[in-house]
Amino acid sequence: MFKKLSAMLFVIAAILTFSPLVSADQHGMKKDIVDVAAENGSFTTLVAAVKAAGLVDTLKSKGPFTVFAPTDAAFAKLPAGTVDMLLKPENKDKLVAILTYHVVAAKVMAADVVKLDSADTVQGGKVMIMVKDGKVMINNAQVVTADVKASNGVIHVIDTVLMPK
């Protein structure tokens, strides 16, 4: 009971703390996942990878999607040369597999994520979800910002790149 209450308090605190990250255009309409990520400034590597993989149109489509979005710092934790290797045209299939492993084909808000123990990804694999020491974990990645809303889904910012098995 305490763990669930602790997890819910963490989620509520994260929502309240990071709600200014929600992006809106000049007409008050929310932007799509790609636009929100591109404008944030912490996802330049992710946005470059999405472009190199040819997934921009997909992630700009109606959705809904949940994206576990690794920050630039998360990509920097990969072994040296990994990102450059993945961005090469001959590695597009591998890049697509990694990126689609970060996407769930549904809008799953933080309050729902903490009730799950796994989620099926667009890539076809499963990510494991758990609350550990009051922190929401997706596989070995910690959710550092939850519920960044977009017109076609939601972004949960993570601190580690997820790798499909």
Side-chain angles (χ1 to χ4, degrees):
M1 176 73 180
F2 179 73
K3 277 187 172 184
K4 285 197 180 241
L5 179 59
S6 175
M8 289 304 293
L9 289 174
F10 169 78
V11 169
I12 292 167
I15 292 167
L16 293 174
T17 303
F18 297 107
S19 59
L21 291 176
V22 175
S23 180
D25 68 14
Q26 62 202 13
H27 305 291
M29 300 292 291
K30 291 184 186 110
K31 297 181 181 202
D32 63 51
I33 286 171
V34 175
D35 292 338
V36 171
E39 289 180 3
N40 179 276
S42 298
F43 305 104
T44 56
T45 307
L46 177 61
V47 171
V50 167
K51 288 177 182 175
L55 294 173
V56 171
D57 289 342
T58 300
L59 291 175
K60 283 181 147 303
S61 69
K62 186 176 179 180
F65 302 108
T66 297
V67 176
F68 299 109
T71 61
D72 291 340
F75 279 100
K77 293 188 325 188
L78 293 172
T82 302
V83 173
D84 290 335
M85 180 270 300
L86 288 170
L87 293 177
K88 291 181 179 176
E90 62 267 25
N91 295 319
K92 183 177 177 182
D93 290 345
K94 183 180 273 194
L95 181 60
V96 167
I98 291 169
L99 293 175
T100 56
Y101 188 66
H102 289 78
V103 180
V104 174
K107 184 176 180 180
V108 186
M109 302 303 287
D112 301 316
V113 168
V114 298
K115 297 175 193 171
L116 303 173
D117 57 11
S118 68
D120 295 325
T121 69
V122 172
Q123 178 263 353
K126 259 188 202 313
V127 291
M128 303 312 296
I129 302 167
M130 69 170 161
V131 178
K132 182 178 176 184
D133 299 326
K135 297 175 171 93
V136 178
M137 304 296 292
I138 309 298
N139 290 353
N140 62 335
Q142 180 182 331
V143 175
V144 294
T145 305
D147 292 344
V148 179
K149 296 175 186 168
S151 62
N152 60 344
V154 63
I155 299 169
H156 301 295
V157 182
I158 56 176
D159 68 351
T160 304
V161 177
L162 304 173
M163 292 296 191
K165 296 192 186 322

